[in-house]
């Protein structure tokens, strides 16, 4: 990505991101053999290639706040069953997942100056709220399916190769 400043405080920050979002779901079944309860945990994984267009407000010399939309494209998705619908198998969710999604991002960026004043390392903490469905509205049999959405907190590391776009 890059940062395109308008003035000392405001800029836009378009970028291309590769993200992996993971979730888990705990399922409990009562009436198991012996009168107990059976519990399983299914683990979901979604991999995306996304494009963002964030508004950036520089609040201090090294601190900025960012917010804006992301359009992402599904690369791969899967679920590893904890025994609820298999025996711990990993299954692709690509056929039942939406290929394109829209997220809203907001976060804070901290730039760590390097010895070369034109290059900077950065750390960012982002909140990602998915606005669109993860899954399709109907399953393979044409039956309606509940909408699944995802929220996540992301910690990222960035390196600014050049001081391009900096106002002097």
């Amino acid at each position: 990505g890059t940062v395109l400043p308008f003035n000392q405080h405001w800029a836009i920050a378009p970028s291309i991101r590769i993200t992996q979002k993971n979730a888990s779901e705990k399922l409990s079944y009562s009436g198991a053999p012996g009168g107990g309860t059976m519990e399983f945990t299914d683990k979901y994984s979604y991999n995306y290639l996304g494009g963002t267009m964030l508004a950036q407000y520089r609040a201090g010399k090294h601190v900025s706040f960012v917010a804006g939309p992301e359009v992402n494209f599904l690369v791969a998705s899967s679920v590893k069953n904890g025994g609820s619908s298999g025996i711990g198998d990993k299954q692709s969710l690509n056929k039942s997942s939406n290929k394109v999604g829209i997220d809203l991002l907001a976060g804070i960026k901290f730039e760590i100056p390097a010895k070369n004043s034109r290059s900077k390392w950065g750390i960012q903490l982002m909140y990602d709220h998915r606005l669109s469905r993860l899954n399709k509205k109907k399953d393979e049999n044409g039956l309606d399916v509940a909408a699944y959405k995802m929220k996540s907190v992301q910690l990222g590391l960035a390196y600014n190769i050049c001081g391009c776009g900096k106002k002097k």
Side-chain angles (χ1 to χ4, degrees):
T2 189
V3 177
L4 305 169
F6 292 116
N7 59 39
Q8 183 179 353
H9 293 287
W10 290 99
I12 58 170
S15 67
I16 296 174
R17 300 174 354 126
I18 298 171
T19 57
Q20 181 179 56
K21 299 175 185 180
N22 298 312
S24 62
E25 179 178 37
K26 191 176 222 176
L27 306 169
S28 297
Y29 299 100
S30 57
T37 301
M38 295 185 336
E39 290 187 348
F40 304 101
T41 301
D42 292 343
K43 296 181 180 179
Y44 296 85
S45 178
Y46 293 88
N47 297 297
Y48 293 101
L49 176 63
T52 64
M53 184 62 71
L54 303 178
Q56 177 173 303
Y57 178 76
R58 183 174 291 278
K61 187 172 181 180
H62 302 292
V63 177
S64 298
F65 295 98
V66 293
E70 175 182 75
V71 176
N72 49 48
F73 304 92
L74 182 69
V75 176
S77 59
S78 63
V79 60
K80 183 170 183 179
N81 301 115
S84 63
S85 57
I87 51 171
D89 296 347
K90 187 174 183 180
Q91 300 171 345
S92 172
L93 294 174
N94 290 349
K95 287 184 180 179
S96 63
S97 298
N98 284 322
K99 305 297 182 236
V100 178
I102 298 173
D103 293 20
L104 187 59
L105 304 171
I108 186 168
K109 291 169 57 175
F110 178 74
E111 295 174 354
I112 304 166
K115 286 184 181 180
N116 175 353
S117 63
R118 294 185 64 191
S119 299
K120 294 187 179 170
W121 284 96
I123 298 172
Q124 62 185 26
L125 182 63
M126 302 286 283
Y127 172 73
D128 183 344
H129 186 94
R130 183 149 181 116
L131 300 175
S132 58
R133 296 171 62 113
L134 284 171
N135 57 325
K136 294 181 179 175
K137 291 183 180 183
K138 297 198 181 280
D139 66 11
E140 297 85 25
N141 302 319
L143 300 173
D144 290 337
V145 178
Y148 291 109
K149 295 187 179 184
M150 187 177 285
K151 301 170 194 157
S152 63
V153 175
Q154 304 167 358
L155 182 62
L157 180 65
Y159 184 72
N160 183 4
I161 295 171
C162 71
C164 306
K166 279 189 177 181
K167 291 199 172 196
K168 299 204 180 213

